Amino acid sequence: MAEPNPNPKPKRRWRRYLVLAVTLLAAPCLPWPLPRAELEGQRPALAPPPGAPEIWVPRQDLEGGNELRAIFVQSLPDGGHELTLWFRDEDHPWPPIDNAYDLYRWLRWSRVDDLETVVLTPARDLALPGTAAREQEFDVLWAEHHTALIGRGGAERLYVRTWNHLLSNEPQPGIDYQPVKVQFLKGSRAELEAEVQAAWPDAGAPPR
């Protein structure tokens, strides 16, 4: 009868480690039930500022649950207006990336709702500080933020050009757009960021 080996080989555990590694990598890509911001509050409704553009959104974005909820208005010292567009969400074209991106935004900014700010100047030009799309298409894999100034007479309409709601005064050919009419409410971008941060202080970093 053979004697038992006093030094048996350790069990192979690489399969366990592989499963653990895959789980850790895949976890952010799961659809996490993240809370949504409720920014309407008791904010007073305002008349649209003179020269405020009409917002046109791709139908596929609206049907995906990313509707424009409101536009917040803050008067500026020079007579212009800050306009902050509040979208319910923004969806990356590839669902696994979208889920991870939602989680990132929640951890970074305490929100998955999307805020995009433009400035209506006293001359009724429209400044897009980091919210301009240029000629990017809606389903671009990585949407780059640009800055633009749309001259007087060229800002009657703004079109959502990308999945993360970057804007242009030129629609993307072949996209079915729909005009969206929402309330204009009093509020600044800084106030909105501070509000979501106060509601969920343990989620995101301080607003930029």
Side-chain angles (χ1 to χ4, degrees), residues 29 60-61 64 66 89-103 105 112 114 137-144 162-165:
C29 299
Q60 67 192 83
D61 204 31
N66 301 323
D89 195 357
E90 58 183 38
D91 289 338
H92 191 278
W94 194 33
I97 292 181
D98 178 53
N99 293 331
Y101 185 54
D102 280 350
L103 181 60
R105 296 200 338 268
V112 294
D114 183 32
E137 296 187 348
F138 185 79
D139 288 335
V140 62
L141 187 62
W142 186 262
E144 296 184 7
T162 64
W163 57 268
N164 62 341
H165 304 131

Side-chain angles (χ1 to χ4, degrees), residues 9-200:
K9 292 183 179 180
K11 294 181 180 179
R12 293 184 178 179
R13 294 183 179 149
W14 65 268
R15 292 186 181 87
R16 298 180 189 177
Y17 295 138
L18 178 61
V19 170
L20 178 60
V22 170
T23 301
L24 291 175
L25 290 173
C29 299
L30 299 175
W32 294 85
L34 300 172
R36 305 289 173 159
E38 298 299 336
L39 299 174
E40 299 98 330
Q42 301 298 318
R43 299 178 186 277
L46 303 174
E54 191 175 60
I55 307 299
W56 288 61
V57 181
R59 186 178 299 275
Q60 67 192 83
D61 204 31
L62 297 173
E63 293 174 350
N66 301 323
E67 68 273 12
L68 178 64
R69 297 292 301 275
I71 299 176
F72 296 91
V73 181
Q74 176 67 31
S75 298
L76 300 176
D78 64 0
H81 294 85
E82 177 194 82
L83 307 177
T84 299
L85 283 59
W86 173 31
F87 293 90
R88 201 51 171 156
D89 195 357
E90 58 183 38
D91 289 338
H92 191 278
W94 194 33
I97 292 181
D98 178 53
N99 293 331
Y101 185 54
D102 280 350
L103 181 60
Y104 164 76
R105 296 200 338 268
W106 167 248
L107 294 174
R108 178 65 181 85
W109 292 297
S110 301
R111 58 177 170 82
V112 294
D113 300 67
D114 183 32
L115 299 176
E116 302 293 342
T117 299
V118 300
V119 176
L120 184 65
T121 72
R124 298 189 184 178
D125 296 336
L126 199 62
L128 279 63
T131 54
R134 294 187 180 173
E135 297 182 355
Q136 296 178 95
E137 296 187 348
F138 185 79
D139 288 335
V140 62
L141 187 62
W142 186 262
E144 296 184 7
H145 293 250
H146 298 283
T147 294
L149 179 66
I150 303 173
R152 191 171 188 175
E156 294 181 0
R157 292 180 178 180
L158 276 181
Y159 296 89
V160 170
R161 282 284 301 231
T162 64
W163 57 268
N164 62 341
H165 304 131
L166 298 180
L167 304 163
S168 173
N169 62 329
E170 296 289 340
Q172 179 182 332
I175 292 288
D176 182 13
Y177 283 94
Q178 180 175 325
V180 178
K181 296 186 181 298
V182 295
Q183 275 192 317
F184 286 77
L185 303 175
K186 181 175 176 55
S188 69
R189 173 66 178 264
E191 290 172 350
L192 299 175
E193 296 285 17
E195 185 173 321
V196 296
Q197 185 67 34
W200 308 103

